[in-house]
Amino acid sequence: MHARTATRLAGGLYLGIIILGLTAELALRGPIASAADQAAALAGAVPLWRAALAADLLMASFDIALALLLYRLFRRFGPDLALAALVLRLVQMAVIAAHLPLLLSAIGAADPAPLIARHGAGYDLGLWFFGLNALVMALLLRRTGTAWLAWLIAAAGAVYLFGSLTRFAAPELNAAMQPAYLVPVVAELSFAIWLLFGAKALRSAA
């Protein structure tokens, strides 16, 4: 595969992951999970809940393909770092995907709240590894000469790590820092757009 094609495919996959993730977590699942009566809300919106699960599965599949493409594109800038990023991204998605059956079990449950909460904790556990992945990717991006994007991705990694840590160690602080997750959205969207329309340093890397 030509490097230009690989970078654009990686950008398209990354954009797809962002859209699928936000759609599943915020648009489809969010209103149900945040309802005062989750059992009633879920019972009245099972198709939306299942659609969110389908989006999660597509996102996981895209993430595997993206992890392999990013390894191919970045390995000449540091083979060990690129391999570490590959492993961390795959671990992140494996952890998140492993918790999806909890959401399936929530359908029809008398009290789905514990299952939804366990999925949320599993999601944040997966994001711990994604935070580490982001820090490694920041180092690789810096080696390509793209310092502005490296700083953005490093900031996203810091938010993910702090968010995961506080989820388990300081829930009150975690609730207060939720607006900070806008930083990873901006950073990852910038990364996707850079792969789609820029990434000149990578075009000879694949």
Side-chain angles (χ1 to χ4, degrees), residues 20 68 107 138:
L20 288 168
L68 294 171
I107 299 174

Side-chain angles (χ1 to χ4, degrees), residues 33-92:
S34 60
D37 187 345
Q38 291 180 335
L42 179 51
V46 171
L48 292 180
W49 194 259
R50 291 190 182 276
L53 284 169
D56 286 326
L57 287 175
L58 281 175
M59 181 178 67
S61 302
F62 284 11
D63 227 339
I64 293 169
L66 178 60
L68 294 171
L69 280 171
L70 291 179
Y71 171 72
R72 178 181 177 181
L73 290 167
F74 281 91
R75 63 187 172 185
R76 78 170 179 134
F77 298 99
D80 292 338
L81 287 174
L83 181 59
L86 170 69
V87 171
L88 288 167
R89 191 173 194 109
L90 292 178
V91 169
Q92 169 253 169

Side-chain angles (χ1 to χ4, degrees), residues 5-33:
T5 302
T7 55
R8 288 182 174 172
L9 178 56
L13 287 169
Y14 213 144
L15 192 59
I17 289 167
I18 294 169
I19 293 171
L20 288 168
L22 292 177
T23 299
E25 193 66 19
L26 299 180
L28 297 176
R29 193 158 46 234
I32 301 169

Side-chain angles (χ1 to χ4, degrees), residues 61-141:
S61 302
F62 284 11
D63 227 339
I64 293 169
L66 178 60
L68 294 171
L69 280 171
L70 291 179
Y71 171 72
R72 178 181 177 181
L73 290 167
F74 281 91
R75 63 187 172 185
R76 78 170 179 134
F77 298 99
D80 292 338
L81 287 174
L83 181 59
L86 170 69
V87 171
L88 288 167
R89 191 173 194 109
L90 292 178
V91 169
Q92 169 253 169
M93 187 44 61
V95 171
I96 290 176
H99 286 80
L100 289 180
L102 293 169
L103 296 180
L104 186 61
S105 299
I107 299 174
D111 183 10
L115 294 168
I116 295 172
R118 285 174 60 191
H119 168 264
Y123 202 99
D124 276 343
L125 177 60
L127 290 181
W128 173 265
F129 297 100
F130 194 45
L132 295 174
N133 164 273
L135 296 183
V136 175
M137 287 305 306
L139 291 174
L140 287 167
L141 283 165

Side-chain angles (χ1 to χ4, degrees), residues 74 137-138 140-153 194 199-202:
F74 281 91
M137 287 305 306
L140 287 167
L141 283 165
R142 189 163 183 82
R143 292 185 179 187
T144 71
T146 318
W148 66 271
L149 185 55
W151 281 111
L152 267 179
I153 294 298
W194 180 75
K200 293 181 180 179
L202 301 181

